[in-house]
Amino acid sequence: MENLGLSIVVPAYNEEQGVLAVINELLQHSRSLKVPYEIIVVEDGSVDKTLDIISKIEGIKVIKHQKNKGYGASLKTGIRESKFPLICITDADGTYPIDLIPAFTEI
């Protein structure tokens, strides 16, 4: 497939404690992907320092909701902004095993 690639969508709301570690782990594991990729972090109107933290990270796309719209709206925003046909969703609090993402793209 010519346009095969992976968009990784990360909704984030008040995740200042863990978001940096999760994004750094995503960036590390994404290097082993066999397809082009993008990491989209949807900052959902946090009232903590989440936006400040993610705004300083290079290599990711940040989309900001002016006010909290909720998890589902954040997913929809990230999916709408995705440029690749394969979409992976992971949370900013490290709930899901990020090290397994590269296996999703092996064909």
Side-chain angles (χ1 to χ4, degrees):
M1 266 187 161
E2 189 173 307
N3 286 340
L4 187 63
L6 178 67
S7 294
I8 303 168
V9 177
V10 184
Y13 176 69
N14 290 342
E15 295 289 354
E16 70 181 7
Q17 296 300 315
V19 70
L20 181 61
V22 168
I23 300 304
N24 283 337
E25 188 176 358
L26 272 171
L27 288 166
Q28 176 188 354
H29 287 290
S30 295
R31 290 185 199 118
S32 63
L33 289 171
K34 294 179 171 59
V35 297
Y37 69 92
E38 65 177 342
I39 297 171
I40 302 170
V41 181
V42 181
E43 200 294 307
D44 193 28
S46 296
V47 295
D48 66 359
K49 296 180 180 176
T50 299
L51 182 61
D52 294 337
I53 293 166
I54 61 176
S55 295
K56 296 173 184 169
I57 304 172
E58 292 186 25
I60 66 171
K61 178 178 183 178
V62 176
I63 301 170
K64 177 169 176 34
H65 287 168
Q66 294 302 315
K67 63 178 186 166
N68 182 258
K69 295 182 178 184
Y71 186 77
S74 294
L75 292 178
K76 288 179 184 178
T77 297
I79 291 168
R80 271 194 302 270
E81 293 294 321
S82 296
K83 67 179 179 181
F84 295 117
L86 299 175
I87 297 173
C88 176
I89 297 165
T90 193
D91 288 342
D93 62 3
T95 303
Y96 302 109
I98 291 170
D99 60 323
L100 297 179
I101 293 174
F104 296 140
T105 61
E106 293 180 11
I107 299 176

